Amino acid sequence: MSILANQMSAADTAVEALTIPTGRRTTFNINAGNTGADIATMTLYAASREAVGVTGLAVTNGGASYVAIPDVTLEGGGGTGATATARMIADSVTLVDAGTGYAVGDALSVAVPDQTAAVIIVTDVDGAGAIQAAELTSGGDYGVLPDSPAPVTGGLGSGATFVLTFAVLSLTLTNPGKGFSEAPTVSFSGGAAAATATIDIVLEPRHIFEHAVALNPGGIIYRTALILGPGDRLYAQADTDTVALTAWGISALI
């Protein structure tokens, strides 16, 4: 058989440039050229697509006014098994019970074991120290949300409770999954939150053809008679998106 594959690299991400059919070994030729104006560093290696999983998650919109932690779904991209959970930050507080004995300036914490507590500052009290107004000054970091209404600790008084709402602060990858050829789509079970995923090799590559080779602007490397095994994929990873990889003349080995 003969295959011509052309692929441009993506900065700091393993890009699949070539797929070898299962059941046979193959030989092929490659060249890689730097189309940019700066030096590019590239690694070229072979691995099974099963070794490609999600390696990064970034929240692009935290949403607002969540009262529960939304479920996170990663789907698409040709892979399976990737999972993640959301961590939340308080974005508003509403006073429910004013309590007694508080003073202006008291710092109140909405504590949950093993979580970073949100902090509320008392800004106004009546003559009995009942809270009349308070301000959220730190949203905390919660993988488990407090009760609602939530009791608080700290300050000079007692008995105050608040209802909090939350936004998505970050995502925790719980399983990278496997078999991805492109990054999966990240979605949430409710609200306006949004996030993106990145993928990369999460297992040791099976074989490295070129390791951190430097390509000058306009520079090209050429390799011939390289061999991949059944089901292997050829990946390029560069520190810029200016590396163009071409593979051609592939022939099956019986």
Side-chain angles (χ1 to χ4, degrees), residues 70-165:
D71 294 330
V72 182
T73 301
L74 289 85
E75 58 186 354
T80 59
T83 57
T85 57
R87 296 193 64 85
M88 312 298 285
I89 182 171
D91 62 2
S92 74
V93 294
T94 301
L95 180 66
V96 175
D97 191 324
T100 59
Y102 293 97
V104 171
D106 280 351
L108 311 179
S109 295
V110 185
V112 176
D114 301 320
Q115 312 298 308
T116 301
V119 178
I120 302 167
I121 300 296
V122 177
T123 58
D124 189 23
V125 296
D126 67 12
I131 298 172
Q132 302 301 295
E135 177 183 352
L136 178 69
T137 59
S138 176
D141 183 349
Y142 295 94
V144 178
L145 296 188
D147 294 336
S148 185
V152 293
T153 59
L156 300 174
S158 62
T161 61
F162 294 82
V163 168
L164 284 71
T165 64

Side-chain angles (χ1 to χ4, degrees), residues 191-204:
T196 58
T198 54
I199 60 173
D200 207 340
I201 297 293
V202 295
L203 300 177
E204 195 69 26

Side-chain angles (χ1 to χ4, degrees), residues 41-52:
T41 301
M42 185 201 72
T43 296
L44 182 70
Y45 53 85
S48 166
R49 186 183 289 173
E50 295 298 289
V52 180

